[in-house]
Amino acid sequence: MKVLILGGGGREHAIGLAVSKSPDMEALFFTPGNAGTAAIGVNLEIAATDIDGVSGLCRKEHIDLVIVGPEQPLVLGMADHLRQNDVAVMGPSAGAARLEGSKSFAKDFMNRHAVPTARYRTFRSDNLDGALSYVDKEGAPIVVKASGLAGGKGAIVCNSVDDARMALRRLMEDCSLGDAGEEVVVESFMHGEEASVFVVTDGNNYVLLPSAQDHKQIGDGDTGVNTGGMGAYSPAPVLTMDVMRRVRAEIIEPTLRGMSDEGTPYQGILYCGLMITDAGPKVVEYNCRLGDPETQVVLPLLQSDALELFYRSATGTLSDYDLRIGPGAAACVVMASDGYPAKYETGRVISGIEVAQNQVQTTVFYAGVRSEGDELFTSGGRVLAVGSTGADLEEAIERAYSGCSQIHFDGAFYRTDIGRKGLARIQTT
Ligand code: GLY
């Protein structure tokens, strides 16, 4: 099979590594890819959002399957366009991707289908006064969200009414996130522990990948600003069998049924970002793709053929797929450039990757890495992630950190507590 993966981050490197294990893999392309994907396929300088460029490439190379990594191409209609041209695509239509592309659509959808989520109100940007009165009435803590895509910067947790008023003014008056803030969702703060569930569906059938927990904040102990994710582990012990039964019955099934009933059947990955509250699981957000860095811990636990899984999702043939998940656990730690998620330097020499890769059951997933001759240089904020599997979470974490300790670049930093919450939960149950 000839496969094209859209995107160029650690997630796409992880997807590439997973599908490369398939005996059906014939040729692998990435647009645009990164220095890691160049070692397992062919990188082409086409943007992941370039619908005409990607379509042309599919025709030229007779691509059998396109796997879309990031959300932007899906929200722009990449999957619709490719399907119209008879290319199998792992990813939802633009109509279905609204579950991520519009928080306001997603909240109203959950309301219509009784999917548990936080209480909310939506305001257009010309109704700042309405939004300010609402936060005055609701009080803090409260969450202010840009409705549109904002690259992970759109949700602002406000611990005081003053902070919430300021967040609203920034989004609605100063347009700090541009069009993403044309509509703003204000929702009540949910107490609990977050976890992520990844549904692979072909529109009628679905299977669940291992669950995961991300570490969104920059600092140890979940402190500081939000990032794209500083590390992850899988599975997430907070999602017990009982909780998962509720997640399926109260969240996944009504969501998939609701999308079909509304004429936008969901095909691809549905990433449910959940809060496990005392009252049960509730949706924090939907995403229309795999998570980054969660993919780097979820796919290494898959024992069945990942390429077959994605192809079956894309072609409506998931019903008899034999999903096999390995025992044990996986953890990954993101190494970032000092200053991330704000301003950071690039062009720093990276060393030690080979030594880290030689650690048992360890992979280095490249993200902001560029190669020049034999040398590797930083080219992004999240530079790479060291991922390991182990017999249990403790072993996986230990191996991932041992890998990190071998890798060096100026200004490198990483969280030192990835997976600690999971370990604490395992030890107390
Ligand atoms: N790690 C969070 C995300 O992929 O949205």
Side-chain angles (χ1 to χ4, degrees):
M1 211 181 286
K2 291 186 170 179
V3 179
L4 168 62
I5 298 177
L6 306 190
R11 166 183 49 209
E12 288 74 26
H13 190 193
I15 296 172
L17 287 167
V19 296
S20 294
K21 290 186 196 147
S22 171
D24 293 327
M25 174 59 79
E26 196 186 323
L28 182 57
F29 299 88
F30 294 86
T31 56
N34 62 34
T37 65
I40 53 170
V42 177
N43 286 350
L44 293 159
E45 275 187 39
I46 297 173
T49 48
D50 178 353
I51 295 181
D52 290 338
V54 168
S55 293
L57 177 64
C58 289
R59 272 196 305 276
K60 180 164 168 261
E61 297 293 345
H62 305 286
I63 297 293
D64 299 298
L65 174 68
V66 175
I67 301 171
V68 186
E71 61 278 15
Q72 294 93 338
L74 294 164
V75 170
L76 291 172
M78 179 67 80
D80 310 66
H81 190 87
L82 293 175
R83 283 194 188 108
Q84 275 157 18
N85 289 286
D86 296 324
V87 181
V89 192
M90 228 294 286
S93 65
R98 276 184 304 167
L99 282 182
E100 175 165 3
S102 166
K103 304 280 175 273
S104 135
F105 170 82
K107 295 294 283 191
D108 292 347
F109 173 87
M110 286 186 260
N111 213 14
R112 285 195 292 281
H113 298 281
V115 175
T117 188
R119 194 176 63 242
Y120 73 104
R121 280 275 299 277
T122 301
F123 299 90
R124 295 205 54 83
S125 57
D126 59 6
N127 187 14
L128 175 63
D129 287 345
L132 292 172
S133 318
Y134 184 70
V135 298
D136 286 346
K137 183 166 69 67
E138 290 287 302
I142 195 160
V143 185
V144 173
K145 287 182 174 173
S147 178
L149 291 184
K153 298 191 188 112
I156 306 145
V157 177
C158 306
N159 289 318
S160 69
V161 168
D162 279 349
D163 285 354
R165 292 176 69 92
M166 201 151 54
L168 287 170
R169 284 192 190 286
R170 268 200 225 114
L171 285 177
M172 300 169 86
E173 221 168 41
D174 308 341
C175 304
S176 59
L177 293 176
D179 293 350
E182 253 172 32
E183 272 188 304
V184 170
V185 174
V186 184
E187 66 177 29
S188 27
F189 179 83
M190 291 189 279
H191 293 272
E193 190 173 329
E194 282 195 60
S196 311
V197 168
F198 303 95
V199 184
V200 187
T201 172
D202 65 1
N204 291 308
N205 312 285
Y206 76 89
V207 294
L208 296 186
L209 294 175
S211 61
Q213 191 171 66
D214 190 11
H215 295 67
K216 290 207 173 84
Q217 282 169 279
I218 191 85
D220 282 358
D222 297 331
T223 52
V225 293
N226 269 351
T227 68
M230 294 300 294
Y233 65 93
S234 173
V238 67
L239 292 169
T240 59
M241 271 165 63
D242 273 352
V243 175
M244 279 311 295
R245 254 193 293 276
R246 291 189 65 177
V247 170
R248 281 178 183 267
E250 296 170 25
I251 293 172
I252 296 170
E253 283 158 22
T255 300
L256 298 181
R257 210 167 34 239
M259 291 305 279
S260 288
D261 290 350
E262 295 195 7
T264 47
Y266 200 98
Q267 193 171 8
I269 300 277
L270 176 68
Y271 160 169
C272 300
L274 306 175
M275 184 68 79
I276 314 308
T277 71
D278 287 346
K282 297 188 180 188
V283 175
V284 177
E285 63 180 11
Y286 293 115
N287 293 309
C288 60
R289 45 149 182 107
L290 282 165
D292 188 348
E294 296 95 316
T295 307
Q296 291 87 311
V297 291
V298 164
L299 292 185
L301 293 175
L302 191 66
Q303 283 187 337
S304 41
D305 187 320
L307 178 56
E308 184 190 347
L309 171 65
F310 296 150
Y311 188 71
R312 281 171 174 262
S313 158
T315 53
T317 54
L318 205 50
S319 63
D320 58 349
Y321 177 73
D322 175 25
L323 179 79
R324 277 171 289 115
I325 307 294
C332 84
V333 179
V334 169
M335 296 184 74
S337 303
D338 192 24
Y340 172 77
K343 215 166 136 26
Y344 52 82
E345 300 275 325
T346 58
R348 263 95 185 247
V349 177
I350 309 170
S351 64
I353 289 187
E354 266 179 37
V355 187
Q357 298 254 48
N358 284 338
Q359 311 271 319
V360 65
Q361 288 175 227
T362 296
T363 306
V364 177
F365 300 99
Y366 291 41
V369 180
R370 140 184 102 71
S371 64
E372 211 178 286
D374 288 341
E375 287 203 293
L376 296 173
F377 297 89
T378 64
S379 64
R382 288 195 293 177
V383 174
L384 53 85
V386 181
S388 300
T389 53
D392 56 24
L393 182 57
E394 192 172 5
E395 189 172 58
I397 293 170
E398 202 180 291
R399 286 176 175 163
Y401 276 113
S402 163
C404 288
S405 70
Q406 305 296 331
I407 298 178
H408 303 280
F409 52 90
D410 282 350
F413 78 93
Y414 51 88
R415 274 181 67 158
T416 63
D417 64 344
I418 301 301
R420 198 170 289 165
K421 237 188 272 177
L423 282 181
R425 196 168 273 279
I426 291 166
Q427 278 150 12
T428 56
T429 51

